[in-house]
Amino acid sequence: MGIYVNPGNQSFQESVGSMIYVDKSELISYTNSVLKTQRKNICVSRPRRFGKSMAADMLVAYYSRGCDSRELFGGLKAAQENRRASTCQEQEIEARRMEQYNANLNQHNVIRFDVQRFLFDKSHVQIFIKRIQEVIIKELKEEFWECAVDEHEPYGLPGVLGQIYACTGKGFVFIIDEWDFVFRLAKEDVAAQKKYLDFLRGLFKGSEYVELAYMTGILPIKKYGEHSALNLFDEYSMTDPKSLGGYFGFTEQEVREQCGKYGMDFGEMKKWYDGYRPGDAHVYNPKSVVDALTWKKAKSYWTGTETYEALKVYIERNFDGLREAVVEMIGGGQCRIDPTTFQNDMTTFRTKDDILTLMVHLGYLTYDEQSNQVFIPNQEVAQEFLRAIKVGGWGRLMETLNCSEELLESTWAMDTDAVAKGVEEARKDMSSILQYNDENSMACAVYAAYASAQAYYMKPIRELPSGRGFADIVYFPLRNVNRPALLVELKWNQSAQGAIQQIKDKKYADWVKGYTGDILLVGINYDRKKDRHECIIEKYVKE
């Protein structure tokens, strides 16, 4: 048993033995299914605090012949036969899965290393690849002494592994944690990054000794023209999780079970840590859930690793209306993006889409693959956005947010003068942020002005198809919340009455009346000549 070659299972023992452990061992069924196949190269990228290292430790404990983990896995899902398989086909699949599980348990040579351990600071960028090879080759020479390993092999680690494979006929399972750390530590050092990608390409591409390669990190694989030769890896990311979405965090059922076990309010946990949408999955931030269960308190635990200063750096780059998008999302809105232009690094930004995509991979936003929209996932992350803008020169946006509850109360009370004044103040407060002096800027201000609506309403919908047209912003009340739905129509140099009439003429309310009880029609107009806002609010009367 070595540190890097055929390591033991101590790290995974600590995870399983912890007070709170959620079993994700079914991932093993997937890795077994691609073992020694053309799908054997896997790169999983997800934010910090989402269990990457625990999954890596689990795979090491399962595959490594440097330990005996049968008892450790005995009570976990991977080792349990699914007795609910009823059809012949289901029983055959289950029998095959169990056969693979037993055949591969602690039967493989494993090489595991964490790139971050070789990069304490930027001074190590020029030597870390050499050092990784040195320590692994040293252990390989001791482990496979009968193969007379040449530690001075000119092709380095790939050459040594080739020697061992030729000698023993057995390959290796590679588990690499924090594979992308060099791209985060040395953001500007393109030469070092390319050299590292060349090392990985030489290690894995076309190598017979590779039985499985499992890499984890925050970023997907860097796009570098010809260096996209690492396309031999199947990538599972926060924007494209494929079949592994459920392993990117805790599922709702898993959180519900833990809340029942530890006496925590599930509704609070949902509000604080829910919201991530990798593919069809619906997951919670796992580390924050564990912290909340441990300390019996739901609050923001995000700052323990990712501080608001990092977020502040990105949202202050006002590419293509980025600030407007952030304001809209703080107000509960969503922003459509194209994640395919992102170059998978932390410096190459051409549009706001690139920055917003990076923020998805960092965990600050979540991505809805069906609608191609991003949004702030939960209250924990929302607090980090608020901390960032509070000190980031964002004008008087915080004043707008602080007055939001008052504006919402005025809307419910149908106090049109107060609502008009509130929207007007919001636009003034945000004048240093908004690029566009038009109806779009007013919509952005309305999102911020109604930010408190998130306590009573679902995420606001922009330009909802309703009747024969589009309402600008629609707020549906949360389930079991006795508040009216809000249909907000915005006008520019027209009239508030015209906004209300448009809602009626185009029968916007017909689209939503099946979803809620009372409906308020809110028409807001900005008269540029008079430089003032006006508002009309009416109750929707069902015909």
mmCIF file of all heavy atoms in Angstrom, residues 244-289:
data_model
loop_
_atom_site.group_PDB
_atom_site.id
_atom_site.type_symbol
_atom_site.label_atom_id
_atom_site.label_comp_id
_atom_site.label_asym_id
_atom_site.label_seq_id
_atom_site.Cartn_x
_atom_site.Cartn_y
_atom_site.Cartn_z
ATOM 1 N N LEU A 244 -25.016 11.748 -14.814
ATOM 2 C CA LEU A 244 -24.494 11.775 -13.444
ATOM 3 C C LEU A 244 -25.026 12.939 -12.612
ATOM 4 O O LEU A 244 -24.457 13.254 -11.570
ATOM 5 C CB LEU A 244 -22.956 11.809 -13.470
ATOM 6 C CG LEU A 244 -22.261 10.643 -14.165
ATOM 7 C CD1 LEU A 244 -20.755 10.736 -13.963
ATOM 8 C CD2 LEU A 244 -22.776 9.298 -13.646
ATOM 9 N N GLY A 245 -26.090 13.592 -13.059
ATOM 10 C CA GLY A 245 -26.608 14.757 -12.341
ATOM 11 C C GLY A 245 -26.928 14.491 -10.887
ATOM 12 O O GLY A 245 -26.698 15.329 -10.014
ATOM 13 N N GLY A 246 -27.476 13.318 -10.584
ATOM 14 C CA GLY A 246 -27.860 12.995 -9.214
ATOM 15 C C GLY A 246 -26.696 12.820 -8.270
ATOM 16 O O GLY A 246 -26.874 12.797 -7.050
ATOM 17 N N TYR A 247 -25.466 12.710 -8.814
ATOM 18 C CA TYR A 247 -24.276 12.557 -7.978
ATOM 19 C C TYR A 247 -23.564 13.883 -7.760
ATOM 20 O O TYR A 247 -22.486 13.912 -7.166
ATOM 21 C CB TYR A 247 -23.314 11.561 -8.624
ATOM 22 C CG TYR A 247 -23.930 10.199 -8.840
ATOM 23 C CD1 TYR A 247 -24.348 9.800 -10.109
ATOM 24 C CD2 TYR A 247 -24.140 9.319 -7.779
ATOM 25 C CE1 TYR A 247 -24.936 8.564 -10.310
ATOM 26 C CE2 TYR A 247 -24.735 8.093 -7.976
ATOM 27 C CZ TYR A 247 -25.127 7.710 -9.245
ATOM 28 O OH TYR A 247 -25.721 6.493 -9.433
ATOM 29 N N PHE A 248 -24.160 14.990 -8.222
ATOM 30 C CA PHE A 248 -23.528 16.303 -8.116
ATOM 31 C C PHE A 248 -23.875 17.000 -6.802
ATOM 32 O O PHE A 248 -23.423 18.093 -6.552
ATOM 33 C CB PHE A 248 -23.955 17.186 -9.292
ATOM 34 C CG PHE A 248 -23.192 16.917 -10.556
ATOM 35 C CD1 PHE A 248 -23.133 15.660 -11.091
ATOM 36 C CD2 PHE A 248 -22.532 17.941 -11.207
ATOM 37 C CE1 PHE A 248 -22.443 15.404 -12.251
ATOM 38 C CE2 PHE A 248 -21.827 17.700 -12.368
ATOM 39 C CZ PHE A 248 -21.779 16.421 -12.899
ATOM 40 N N GLY A 249 -24.703 16.400 -5.991
ATOM 41 C CA GLY A 249 -25.094 16.986 -4.715
ATOM 42 C C GLY A 249 -26.075 16.056 -4.032
ATOM 43 O O GLY A 249 -26.250 14.908 -4.440
ATOM 44 N N PHE A 250 -26.746 16.552 -2.989
ATOM 45 C CA PHE A 250 -27.764 15.756 -2.314
ATOM 46 C C PHE A 250 -29.100 15.946 -3.024
ATOM 47 O O PHE A 250 -29.482 17.071 -3.344
ATOM 48 C CB PHE A 250 -27.916 16.185 -0.859
ATOM 49 C CG PHE A 250 -26.748 15.837 0.022
ATOM 50 C CD1 PHE A 250 -26.663 16.335 1.308
ATOM 51 C CD2 PHE A 250 -25.732 15.003 -0.423
ATOM 52 C CE1 PHE A 250 -25.599 16.019 2.130
ATOM 53 C CE2 PHE A 250 -24.657 14.678 0.378
ATOM 54 C CZ PHE A 250 -24.589 15.189 1.665
ATOM 55 N N THR A 251 -29.809 14.869 -3.267
ATOM 56 C CA THR A 251 -31.136 14.971 -3.859
ATOM 57 C C THR A 251 -32.137 15.433 -2.803
ATOM 58 O O THR A 251 -31.861 15.383 -1.603
ATOM 59 C CB THR A 251 -31.599 13.627 -4.429
ATOM 60 O OG1 THR A 251 -31.767 12.696 -3.341
ATOM 61 C CG2 THR A 251 -30.575 13.071 -5.414
ATOM 62 N N GLU A 252 -33.297 15.856 -3.268
ATOM 63 C CA GLU A 252 -34.318 16.337 -2.337
ATOM 64 C C GLU A 252 -34.729 15.248 -1.359
ATOM 65 O O GLU A 252 -34.926 15.509 -0.161
ATOM 66 C CB GLU A 252 -35.531 16.852 -3.120
ATOM 67 C CG GLU A 252 -36.574 17.510 -2.234
ATOM 68 C CD GLU A 252 -37.467 18.458 -3.006
ATOM 69 O OE1 GLU A 252 -36.977 19.501 -3.485
ATOM 70 O OE2 GLU A 252 -38.664 18.142 -3.136
ATOM 71 N N GLN A 253 -34.862 14.016 -1.843
ATOM 72 C CA GLN A 253 -35.254 12.920 -0.963
ATOM 73 C C GLN A 253 -34.186 12.654 0.084
ATOM 74 O O GLN A 253 -34.491 12.404 1.256
ATOM 75 C CB GLN A 253 -35.507 11.650 -1.786
ATOM 76 C CG GLN A 253 -35.952 10.445 -0.973
ATOM 77 C CD GLN A 253 -37.233 10.700 -0.187
ATOM 78 O OE1 GLN A 253 -38.105 11.453 -0.627
ATOM 79 N NE2 GLN A 253 -37.348 10.091 0.985
ATOM 80 N N GLU A 254 -32.926 12.735 -0.314
ATOM 81 C CA GLU A 254 -31.830 12.522 0.641
ATOM 82 C C GLU A 254 -31.828 13.596 1.720
ATOM 83 O O GLU A 254 -31.618 13.301 2.908
ATOM 84 C CB GLU A 254 -30.500 12.505 -0.106
ATOM 85 C CG GLU A 254 -30.296 11.259 -0.955
ATOM 86 C CD GLU A 254 -29.128 11.356 -1.920
ATOM 87 O OE1 GLU A 254 -28.666 12.489 -2.173
ATOM 88 O OE2 GLU A 254 -28.677 10.315 -2.423
ATOM 89 N N VAL A 255 -32.078 14.845 1.338
ATOM 90 C CA VAL A 255 -32.118 15.933 2.321
ATOM 91 C C VAL A 255 -33.318 15.775 3.239
ATOM 92 O O VAL A 255 -33.231 15.982 4.457
ATOM 93 C CB VAL A 255 -32.146 17.304 1.615
ATOM 94 C CG1 VAL A 255 -32.327 18.432 2.628
ATOM 95 C CG2 VAL A 255 -30.875 17.521 0.815
ATOM 96 N N ARG A 256 -34.445 15.399 2.659
ATOM 97 C CA ARG A 256 -35.652 15.205 3.476
ATOM 98 C C ARG A 256 -35.423 14.118 4.535
ATOM 99 O O ARG A 256 -35.826 14.267 5.699
ATOM 100 C CB ARG A 256 -36.823 14.828 2.573
ATOM 101 C CG ARG A 256 -38.187 14.908 3.255
ATOM 102 C CD ARG A 256 -39.287 14.479 2.306
ATOM 103 N NE ARG A 256 -39.453 15.398 1.206
ATOM 104 C CZ ARG A 256 -40.216 16.496 1.247
ATOM 105 N NH1 ARG A 256 -40.883 16.776 2.368
ATOM 106 N NH2 ARG A 256 -40.326 17.280 0.198
ATOM 107 N N GLU A 257 -34.779 13.035 4.134
ATOM 108 C CA GLU A 257 -34.498 11.947 5.081
ATOM 109 C C GLU A 257 -33.568 12.404 6.198
ATOM 110 O O GLU A 257 -33.779 12.080 7.377
ATOM 111 C CB GLU A 257 -33.879 10.764 4.330
ATOM 112 C CG GLU A 257 -34.863 10.048 3.407
ATOM 113 C CD GLU A 257 -34.177 8.987 2.555
ATOM 114 O OE1 GLU A 257 -32.928 8.848 2.668
ATOM 115 O OE2 GLU A 257 -34.867 8.306 1.783
ATOM 116 N N GLN A 258 -32.538 13.175 5.844
ATOM 117 C CA GLN A 258 -31.595 13.655 6.852
ATOM 118 C C GLN A 258 -32.251 14.652 7.800
ATOM 119 O O GLN A 258 -31.952 14.673 8.995
ATOM 120 C CB GLN A 258 -30.373 14.278 6.178
ATOM 121 C CG GLN A 258 -29.515 13.299 5.383
ATOM 122 C CD GLN A 258 -28.902 12.226 6.257
ATOM 123 O OE1 GLN A 258 -28.452 12.482 7.370
ATOM 124 N NE2 GLN A 258 -28.895 11.003 5.743
ATOM 125 N N CYS A 259 -33.148 15.487 7.266
ATOM 126 C CA CYS A 259 -33.854 16.443 8.129
ATOM 127 C C CYS A 259 -34.716 15.709 9.152
ATOM 128 O O CYS A 259 -34.778 16.099 10.329
ATOM 129 C CB CYS A 259 -34.722 17.374 7.279
ATOM 130 S SG CYS A 259 -33.801 18.643 6.389
ATOM 131 N N GLY A 260 -35.388 14.642 8.699
ATOM 132 C CA GLY A 260 -36.195 13.855 9.629
ATOM 133 C C GLY A 260 -35.343 13.186 10.689
ATOM 134 O O GLY A 260 -35.724 13.112 11.865
ATOM 135 N N LYS A 261 -34.170 12.740 10.280
ATOM 136 C CA LYS A 261 -33.280 12.039 11.203
ATOM 137 C C LYS A 261 -32.702 12.970 12.254
ATOM 138 O O LYS A 261 -32.527 12.590 13.421
ATOM 139 C CB LYS A 261 -32.153 11.378 10.405
ATOM 140 C CG LYS A 261 -31.191 10.545 11.227
ATOM 141 C CD LYS A 261 -30.174 9.866 10.332
ATOM 142 C CE LYS A 261 -29.187 9.036 11.139
ATOM 143 N NZ LYS A 261 -28.184 8.350 10.274
ATOM 144 N N TYR A 262 -32.403 14.223 11.867
ATOM 145 C CA TYR A 262 -31.723 15.149 12.774
ATOM 146 C C TYR A 262 -32.612 16.292 13.258
ATOM 147 O O TYR A 262 -32.131 17.247 13.866
ATOM 148 C CB TYR A 262 -30.461 15.711 12.105
ATOM 149 C CG TYR A 262 -29.402 14.655 11.934
ATOM 150 C CD1 TYR A 262 -29.260 13.985 10.721
ATOM 151 C CD2 TYR A 262 -28.573 14.297 12.994
ATOM 152 C CE1 TYR A 262 -28.301 12.995 10.561
ATOM 153 C CE2 TYR A 262 -27.612 13.309 12.843
ATOM 154 C CZ TYR A 262 -27.488 12.658 11.623
ATOM 155 O OH TYR A 262 -26.537 11.675 11.479
ATOM 156 N N GLY A 263 -33.904 16.202 12.986
ATOM 157 C CA GLY A 263 -34.852 17.165 13.535
ATOM 158 C C GLY A 263 -34.716 18.573 12.991
ATOM 159 O O GLY A 263 -34.896 19.543 13.727
ATOM 160 N N MET A 264 -34.426 18.690 11.694
ATOM 161 C CA MET A 264 -34.317 20.003 11.056
ATOM 162 C C MET A 264 -35.524 20.245 10.156
ATOM 163 O O MET A 264 -36.099 19.318 9.591
ATOM 164 C CB MET A 264 -33.033 20.090 10.222
ATOM 165 C CG MET A 264 -31.760 20.150 11.042
ATOM 166 S SD MET A 264 -31.541 21.739 11.871
ATOM 167 C CE MET A 264 -31.203 22.820 10.480
ATOM 168 N N ASP A 265 -35.908 21.506 10.037
ATOM 169 C CA ASP A 265 -37.045 21.877 9.198
ATOM 170 C C ASP A 265 -36.647 21.788 7.722
ATOM 171 O O ASP A 265 -35.753 22.508 7.270
ATOM 172 C CB ASP A 265 -37.508 23.294 9.538
ATOM 173 C CG ASP A 265 -38.689 23.721 8.685
ATOM 174 O OD1 ASP A 265 -39.745 23.100 8.791
ATOM 175 O OD2 ASP A 265 -38.527 24.678 7.892
ATOM 176 N N PHE A 266 -37.330 20.916 6.994
ATOM 177 C CA PHE A 266 -36.979 20.715 5.590
ATOM 178 C C PHE A 266 -37.209 21.970 4.763
ATOM 179 O O PHE A 266 -36.438 22.279 3.843
ATOM 180 C CB PHE A 266 -37.784 19.549 5.007
ATOM 181 C CG PHE A 266 -37.610 19.394 3.524
ATOM 182 C CD1 PHE A 266 -36.426 18.903 3.000
ATOM 183 C CD2 PHE A 266 -38.622 19.756 2.641
ATOM 184 C CE1 PHE A 266 -36.253 18.762 1.635
ATOM 185 C CE2 PHE A 266 -38.458 19.628 1.276
ATOM 186 C CZ PHE A 266 -37.273 19.125 0.767
ATOM 187 N N GLY A 267 -38.257 22.730 5.073
ATOM 188 C CA GLY A 267 -38.545 23.957 4.335
ATOM 189 C C GLY A 267 -37.400 24.952 4.416
ATOM 190 O O GLY A 267 -37.054 25.615 3.432
ATOM 191 N N GLU A 268 -36.796 25.070 5.593
ATOM 192 C CA GLU A 268 -35.645 25.965 5.757
ATOM 193 C C GLU A 268 -34.453 25.492 4.938
ATOM 194 O O GLU A 268 -33.756 26.282 4.310
ATOM 195 C CB GLU A 268 -35.256 26.049 7.239
ATOM 196 C CG GLU A 268 -36.074 27.047 8.042
ATOM 197 C CD GLU A 268 -35.800 28.480 7.603
ATOM 198 O OE1 GLU A 268 -34.694 28.983 7.844
ATOM 199 O OE2 GLU A 268 -36.697 29.086 7.001
ATOM 200 N N MET A 269 -34.214 24.186 4.967
ATOM 201 C CA MET A 269 -33.099 23.635 4.196
ATOM 202 C C MET A 269 -33.305 23.868 2.705
ATOM 203 O O MET A 269 -32.364 24.200 1.977
ATOM 204 C CB MET A 269 -32.964 22.135 4.477
ATOM 205 C CG MET A 269 -32.695 21.822 5.924
ATOM 206 S SD MET A 269 -31.053 22.352 6.477
ATOM 207 C CE MET A 269 -30.108 20.908 6.086
ATOM 208 N N LYS A 270 -34.526 23.720 2.260
ATOM 209 C CA LYS A 270 -34.836 23.921 0.843
ATOM 210 C C LYS A 270 -34.579 25.373 0.445
ATOM 211 O O LYS A 270 -33.992 25.651 -0.607
ATOM 212 C CB LYS A 270 -36.288 23.549 0.578
ATOM 213 C CG LYS A 270 -36.717 23.627 -0.877
ATOM 214 C CD LYS A 270 -38.158 23.157 -1.041
ATOM 215 C CE LYS A 270 -38.584 23.218 -2.488
ATOM 216 N NZ LYS A 270 -37.854 22.256 -3.342
ATOM 217 N N LYS A 271 -35.011 26.301 1.281
ATOM 218 C CA LYS A 271 -34.838 27.714 0.987
ATOM 219 C C LYS A 271 -33.360 28.096 0.929
ATOM 220 O O LYS A 271 -32.938 28.858 0.058
ATOM 221 C CB LYS A 271 -35.555 28.553 2.054
ATOM 222 C CG LYS A 271 -35.395 30.066 1.852
ATOM 223 C CD LYS A 271 -36.210 30.830 2.895
ATOM 224 C CE LYS A 271 -35.625 30.693 4.277
ATOM 225 N NZ LYS A 271 -36.305 31.545 5.274
ATOM 226 N N TRP A 272 -32.559 27.531 1.818
ATOM 227 C CA TRP A 272 -31.162 27.947 1.925
ATOM 228 C C TRP A 272 -30.236 27.242 0.938
ATOM 229 O O TRP A 272 -29.279 27.850 0.450
ATOM 230 C CB TRP A 272 -30.656 27.699 3.348
ATOM 231 C CG TRP A 272 -31.010 28.804 4.293
ATOM 232 C CD1 TRP A 272 -32.113 28.894 5.093
ATOM 233 C CD2 TRP A 272 -30.258 30.006 4.516
ATOM 234 N NE1 TRP A 272 -32.091 30.065 5.803
ATOM 235 C CE2 TRP A 272 -30.957 30.774 5.474
ATOM 236 C CE3 TRP A 272 -29.062 30.502 4.012
ATOM 237 C CZ2 TRP A 272 -30.507 32.007 5.925
ATOM 238 C CZ3 TRP A 272 -28.602 31.735 4.464
ATOM 239 C CH2 TRP A 272 -29.324 32.461 5.412
ATOM 240 N N TYR A 273 -30.490 25.956 0.641
ATOM 241 C CA TYR A 273 -29.462 25.189 -0.074
ATOM 242 C C TYR A 273 -29.926 24.484 -1.346
ATOM 243 O O TYR A 273 -29.135 23.871 -2.042
ATOM 244 C CB TYR A 273 -28.856 24.140 0.881
ATOM 245 C CG TYR A 273 -28.485 24.710 2.215
ATOM 246 C CD1 TYR A 273 -29.080 24.264 3.395
ATOM 247 C CD2 TYR A 273 -27.548 25.734 2.308
ATOM 248 C CE1 TYR A 273 -28.741 24.805 4.626
ATOM 249 C CE2 TYR A 273 -27.208 26.291 3.541
ATOM 250 C CZ TYR A 273 -27.818 25.822 4.698
ATOM 251 O OH TYR A 273 -27.488 26.369 5.910
ATOM 252 N N ASP A 274 -31.205 24.595 -1.667
ATOM 253 C CA ASP A 274 -31.738 23.964 -2.876
ATOM 254 C C ASP A 274 -31.402 24.820 -4.097
ATOM 255 O O ASP A 274 -30.797 25.880 -3.985
ATOM 256 C CB ASP A 274 -33.257 23.823 -2.723
ATOM 257 C CG ASP A 274 -33.891 23.094 -3.892
ATOM 258 O OD1 ASP A 274 -33.160 22.405 -4.625
ATOM 259 O OD2 ASP A 274 -35.111 23.215 -4.077
ATOM 260 N N GLY A 275 -31.797 24.357 -5.258
ATOM 261 C CA GLY A 275 -31.767 25.227 -6.424
ATOM 262 C C GLY A 275 -30.854 24.825 -7.550
ATOM 263 O O GLY A 275 -30.928 25.371 -8.647
ATOM 264 N N TYR A 276 -29.928 23.880 -7.327
ATOM 265 C CA TYR A 276 -29.014 23.501 -8.399
ATOM 266 C C TYR A 276 -29.702 22.519 -9.337
ATOM 267 O O TYR A 276 -30.382 21.597 -8.902
ATOM 268 C CB TYR A 276 -27.732 22.903 -7.819
ATOM 269 C CG TYR A 276 -26.920 23.922 -7.068
ATOM 270 C CD1 TYR A 276 -27.016 24.043 -5.681
ATOM 271 C CD2 TYR A 276 -26.080 24.791 -7.739
ATOM 272 C CE1 TYR A 276 -26.288 25.002 -4.985
ATOM 273 C CE2 TYR A 276 -25.334 25.757 -7.052
ATOM 274 C CZ TYR A 276 -25.450 25.848 -5.678
ATOM 275 O OH TYR A 276 -24.728 26.790 -4.992
ATOM 276 N N ARG A 277 -29.513 22.734 -10.640
ATOM 277 C CA ARG A 277 -30.238 21.947 -11.637
ATOM 278 C C ARG A 277 -29.283 21.309 -12.654
ATOM 279 O O ARG A 277 -29.286 21.659 -13.824
ATOM 280 C CB ARG A 277 -31.229 22.833 -12.405
ATOM 281 C CG ARG A 277 -32.248 23.553 -11.559
ATOM 282 C CD ARG A 277 -33.321 22.600 -11.037
ATOM 283 N NE ARG A 277 -34.374 23.358 -10.370
ATOM 284 C CZ ARG A 277 -34.351 23.668 -9.086
ATOM 285 N NH1 ARG A 277 -33.311 23.313 -8.346
ATOM 286 N NH2 ARG A 277 -35.334 24.344 -8.537
ATOM 287 N N PRO A 278 -28.442 20.370 -12.247
ATOM 288 C CA PRO A 278 -27.609 19.686 -13.243
ATOM 289 C C PRO A 278 -28.460 18.708 -14.048
ATOM 290 O O PRO A 278 -28.822 17.629 -13.578
ATOM 291 C CB PRO A 278 -26.567 18.952 -12.390
ATOM 292 C CG PRO A 278 -27.222 18.768 -11.065
ATOM 293 C CD PRO A 278 -28.161 19.917 -10.878
ATOM 294 N N GLY A 279 -28.798 19.095 -15.273
ATOM 295 C CA GLY A 279 -29.641 18.256 -16.116
ATOM 296 C C GLY A 279 -31.030 18.107 -15.537
ATOM 297 O O GLY A 279 -31.664 19.093 -15.134
ATOM 298 N N ASP A 280 -31.517 16.884 -15.464
ATOM 299 C CA ASP A 280 -32.851 16.618 -14.919
ATOM 300 C C ASP A 280 -32.840 16.494 -13.404
ATOM 301 O O ASP A 280 -33.894 16.370 -12.775
ATOM 302 C CB ASP A 280 -33.419 15.319 -15.529
ATOM 303 C CG ASP A 280 -33.655 15.433 -17.025
ATOM 304 O OD1 ASP A 280 -33.936 16.557 -17.488
ATOM 305 O OD2 ASP A 280 -33.549 14.406 -17.718
ATOM 306 N N ALA A 281 -31.661 16.496 -12.814
ATOM 307 C CA ALA A 281 -31.558 16.336 -11.365
ATOM 308 C C ALA A 281 -31.935 17.635 -10.652
ATOM 309 O O ALA A 281 -32.014 18.702 -11.251
ATOM 310 C CB ALA A 281 -30.149 15.903 -10.974
ATOM 311 N N HIS A 282 -32.162 17.504 -9.366
ATOM 312 C CA HIS A 282 -32.586 18.626 -8.532
ATOM 313 C C HIS A 282 -31.825 18.458 -7.227
ATOM 314 O O HIS A 282 -32.181 17.644 -6.386
ATOM 315 C CB HIS A 282 -34.101 18.498 -8.312
ATOM 316 C CG HIS A 282 -34.722 19.622 -7.549
ATOM 317 N ND1 HIS A 282 -35.430 20.619 -8.144
ATOM 318 C CD2 HIS A 282 -34.753 19.907 -6.222
ATOM 319 C CE1 HIS A 282 -35.894 21.469 -7.229
ATOM 320 N NE2 HIS A 282 -35.477 21.050 -6.051
ATOM 321 N N VAL A 283 -30.703 19.181 -7.064
ATOM 322 C CA VAL A 283 -29.807 18.877 -5.960
ATOM 323 C C VAL A 283 -29.537 20.077 -5.064
ATOM 324 O O VAL A 283 -29.741 21.224 -5.448
ATOM 325 C CB VAL A 283 -28.463 18.310 -6.470
ATOM 326 C CG1 VAL A 283 -28.677 17.037 -7.264
ATOM 327 C CG2 VAL A 283 -27.717 19.335 -7.310
ATOM 328 N N TYR A 284 -29.078 19.753 -3.858
ATOM 329 C CA TYR A 284 -28.741 20.725 -2.819
ATOM 330 C C TYR A 284 -27.224 20.775 -2.649
ATOM 331 O O TYR A 284 -26.526 19.807 -2.947
ATOM 332 C CB TYR A 284 -29.358 20.316 -1.486
ATOM 333 C CG TYR A 284 -30.866 20.402 -1.411
ATOM 334 C CD1 TYR A 284 -31.678 19.713 -2.296
ATOM 335 C CD2 TYR A 284 -31.486 21.170 -0.430
ATOM 336 C CE1 TYR A 284 -33.061 19.778 -2.211
ATOM 337 C CE2 TYR A 284 -32.868 21.246 -0.330
ATOM 338 C CZ TYR A 284 -33.654 20.545 -1.222
ATOM 339 O OH TYR A 284 -35.027 20.617 -1.146
ATOM 340 N N ASN A 285 -26.754 21.905 -2.127
ATOM 341 C CA ASN A 285 -25.334 22.029 -1.788
ATOM 342 C C ASN A 285 -25.032 21.067 -0.634
ATOM 343 O O ASN A 285 -25.475 21.283 0.498
ATOM 344 C CB ASN A 285 -25.046 23.473 -1.368
ATOM 345 C CG ASN A 285 -23.590 23.703 -1.041
ATOM 346 O OD1 ASN A 285 -22.898 22.833 -0.536
ATOM 347 N ND2 ASN A 285 -23.119 24.908 -1.319
ATOM 348 N N PRO A 286 -24.263 19.996 -0.868
ATOM 349 C CA PRO A 286 -24.110 18.963 0.164
ATOM 350 C C PRO A 286 -23.339 19.412 1.405
ATOM 351 O O PRO A 286 -23.740 19.091 2.521
ATOM 352 C CB PRO A 286 -23.372 17.833 -0.564
ATOM 353 C CG PRO A 286 -22.719 18.487 -1.732
ATOM 354 C CD PRO A 286 -23.597 19.638 -2.124
ATOM 355 N N LYS A 287 -22.240 20.141 1.216
ATOM 356 C CA LYS A 287 -21.448 20.548 2.387
ATOM 357 C C LYS A 287 -22.243 21.484 3.281
ATOM 358 O O LYS A 287 -22.189 21.387 4.516
ATOM 359 C CB LYS A 287 -20.157 21.235 1.925
ATOM 360 C CG LYS A 287 -19.239 21.698 3.061
ATOM 361 C CD LYS A 287 -18.788 20.527 3.928
ATOM 362 C CE LYS A 287 -17.625 20.919 4.841
ATOM 363 N NZ LYS A 287 -17.965 22.007 5.758
ATOM 364 N N SER A 288 -23.002 22.396 2.695
ATOM 365 C CA SER A 288 -23.799 23.316 3.501
ATOM 366 C C SER A 288 -24.911 22.580 4.233
ATOM 367 O O SER A 288 -25.239 22.907 5.381
ATOM 368 C CB SER A 288 -24.388 24.420 2.613
ATOM 369 O OG SER A 288 -23.364 25.231 2.082
ATOM 370 N N VAL A 289 -25.510 21.582 3.577
ATOM 371 C CA VAL A 289 -26.540 20.784 4.245
ATOM 372 C C VAL A 289 -25.948 20.063 5.446
ATOM 373 O O VAL A 289 -26.539 20.053 6.543
ATOM 374 C CB VAL A 289 -27.163 19.774 3.259
ATOM 375 C CG1 VAL A 289 -28.024 18.753 4.004
ATOM 376 C CG2 VAL A 289 -28.017 20.494 2.220
#
